[in-house]
Amino acid sequence: MKIAILISIVDTSIDKWNKSCEKYRHEYKFVSIDNCDWLEQLTKFKPDFCVLRPPGTLSYAKQMYDERVYIISSVLKIPVYPSFEEVIVYENKRILSDYLKAKNIPHPKTYVFYLKDQAIKFASEARYPLVAKTNIGASGSGVKILRSKKDLISYIRRAFSKGISRRKGPNKNSGSPKTWTKKAIFSPRYFLKKLKLYKRRSNDTQKNFLILQEYIQHDYEWRVVKIGESYFAHKKTKIGEMASGTKEKIYDNPPLKLFDFTKEVCDSTKFYSQAVDIFESPKGGYLVNEIQTIFGQSDSYQMKVDGKIGRYVYNDGWEFEEGDFNTNESYDLRLEHAVKLFTKEV
């Protein structure tokens, strides 16, 4: 099959898709989606489908990518993987909150304010603590715990004046000064590229709206990965008050009802490839905290059951299959599913 790999200048993992294409011997071509001739590149190649790696760092790049994927999938009718809906809700917490509500998917109460007066009024009625989030920002970047009306009023005023900035440097919960220093010495080009990205990210301020979420008391959140018919899960544990971005994991045996919940969510949305971060509600049941079609993989696997790595599949009930299904940070599994999916459509 002919596969177009859509890339942009802010991609950090463009090599994963082509490694999978080479492994399975598919013809492929990189298409620079931020170039002015991207459409000519794509139509000249005539791919059977496109594989995507949407940016999740800078707002303008995310908007550009979403717009052009819409043209590809809805106007040109070229299949894309992940789907357009998966891309549009990725690193867009404004639309994700409305999407979950419209789909009746259980999630923490979320409030998006575009009017300052409404936000100020809410500050007097709210129950604290609250979680403030920027619209874009992975690995805990842009997340702040607000503990009082005073905290929220200050946050509102900043949101509607100079704006809200995200983390200015590396994630302190997923590295160390020693590691960063070593990278700076032995990989100066990589280090300078990162510094440039951090500067651009810190300048990418969020203005004239804010996103607030009820705080769910938790010691961990479940990360459930669904790629095609394969399901994986592990616990993300907290450092401080958040589990996002810590890279601290516990590979406990996941309860099967967790997969029931995730399967129901992904079946209702027709999502192909997702990491669904889930809280156990104090009132019982599960709550979707985040949905991300692109996600990090710091270990070579995503789940252990009784100490064995593998996956769950559903065949009139959940069945565990032992094996290494997360090679190449799970891009091999994604490509296998995409080829199977779009071969059926031909």
Side-chain angles (χ1 to χ4, degrees):
M1 300 188 82
K2 295 176 69 176
I3 302 169
I5 304 173
L6 305 190
I7 64 172
S8 74
I9 57 172
V10 295
D11 280 343
T12 57
S13 58
I14 57 173
D15 61 327
K16 304 296 188 303
W17 278 122
N18 71 287
K19 283 181 180 178
S20 293
C21 287
E22 289 176 356
K23 177 178 180 178
Y24 296 112
R25 299 182 180 180
H26 294 297
E27 181 181 357
Y28 68 92
K29 177 182 175 61
F30 289 118
V31 175
S32 301
I33 199 169
D34 39 15
N35 281 9
C36 63
D37 67 341
W38 72 275
L39 194 56
E40 288 79 7
Q41 291 183 50
L42 186 67
T43 54
K44 184 178 180 181
F45 181 57
K46 297 180 181 179
D48 294 301
F49 64 91
C50 301
V51 291
L52 316 178
R53 200 299 181 200
T57 304
L58 301 172
S59 300
Y60 83 89
K62 163 70 173 159
Q63 182 178 354
M64 173 273 296
Y65 202 98
D66 291 353
E67 291 169 356
R68 293 185 171 179
V69 170
Y70 171 77
I71 296 297
I72 294 166
S73 61
S74 298
V75 180
L76 297 178
K77 304 297 184 182
I78 299 173
V80 296
Y81 191 101
S83 67
F84 174 67
E85 277 198 13
E86 288 176 285
V87 170
I88 200 72
V89 300
Y90 170 70
E91 287 303 330
N92 188 333
K93 297 178 181 67
R94 292 175 308 196
I95 194 171
L96 178 61
S97 65
D98 290 335
Y99 186 86
L100 294 174
K101 190 179 296 184
K103 286 284 190 178
N104 294 314
I105 295 171
H107 62 284
K109 290 180 181 178
T110 307
Y111 311 88
V112 182
F113 293 100
Y114 285 93
L115 301 176
K116 183 178 179 181
D117 290 347
Q118 284 189 353
I120 293 290
K121 181 181 178 183
F122 175 78
S124 298
E125 304 166 351
R127 296 182 62 181
Y128 297 91
L130 286 167
V131 183
K133 297 183 174 183
T134 52
N135 191 47
I136 192 169
S139 300
S141 176
V143 178
K144 185 176 179 61
I145 307 297
L146 304 175
R147 300 195 170 279
S148 66
K149 177 182 175 181
K150 181 181 178 181
D151 289 346
L152 179 51
I153 293 292
S154 175
Y155 189 87
I156 293 168
R157 287 174 177 163
R158 190 161 72 255
F160 286 93
S161 56
K162 65 180 182 180
I164 304 298
S165 297
R166 285 175 283 147
R167 187 176 61 234
K168 291 180 170 59
N171 183 0
K172 66 181 181 180
N173 290 328
S174 61
S176 68
K178 184 178 180 180
T179 302
W180 303 327
T181 302
K182 187 181 293 186
K183 286 183 177 180
I185 294 171
F186 294 103
S187 305
R189 288 185 63 188
Y190 171 84
F191 182 71
L192 290 173
K193 184 178 179 181
K194 279 290 188 180
L195 283 180
K196 184 177 179 180
L197 178 60
Y198 294 147
K199 183 178 179 180
R200 294 171 73 186
R201 187 173 66 189
S202 66
N203 291 333
D204 188 27
T205 56
Q206 173 179 297
K207 287 187 177 183
N208 298 318
F209 72 92
L210 67 152
I211 303 167
L212 303 173
Q213 187 181 87
E214 69 170 318
Y215 181 82
I216 304 298
Q217 185 62 47
H218 64 288
D219 295 320
Y220 59 86
E221 63 182 358
W222 284 104
R223 164 151 290 186
V224 185
V225 170
K226 184 261 192 204
I227 300 174
E229 304 307 314
S230 301
Y231 288 78
F232 313 85
H234 58 263
K235 288 179 179 177
K236 296 166 58 182
T237 57
K238 290 188 345 181
I239 291 179
E241 296 177 301
M242 296 185 297
S244 296
T246 67
K247 295 188 180 179
E248 295 292 325
K249 306 179 185 69
I250 297 175
Y251 289 99
D252 287 346
N253 290 4
L256 297 184
K257 62 181 181 179
L258 183 68
F259 295 117
D260 289 333
F261 176 78
T262 306
K263 185 176 185 301
E264 184 178 343
V265 167
C266 291
D267 285 353
S268 70
T269 55
K270 295 183 173 61
F271 282 173
Y272 302 143
S273 172
Q274 289 294 327
V276 186
D277 291 339
I278 297 172
F279 289 136
E280 294 183 358
S281 171
K283 299 178 181 179
Y286 295 113
L287 300 171
V288 172
N289 183 34
E290 298 276 359
I291 292 180
Q292 301 149 327
T293 194
I294 296 296
F295 47 90
Q297 184 177 313
S298 56
D299 293 331
S300 62
Y301 48 87
Q302 290 282 2
M303 182 175 67
K304 284 184 176 181
V305 174
D306 295 329
K308 301 174 182 177
I309 64 171
R311 68 180 175 185
Y312 271 104
V313 294
Y314 188 83
N315 292 310
D316 295 323
W318 293 106
E319 298 176 2
F320 178 72
E321 295 181 357
E322 185 179 352
D324 185 4
F325 300 101
N326 302 115
T327 55
N328 191 26
E329 295 189 17
S330 298
Y331 278 82
D332 291 347
L333 187 60
R334 289 185 179 100
L335 187 62
E336 286 178 24
H337 180 241
V339 169
K340 180 180 178 182
L341 183 71
F342 299 131
T343 300
K344 285 181 180 180
E345 293 184 0
V346 174

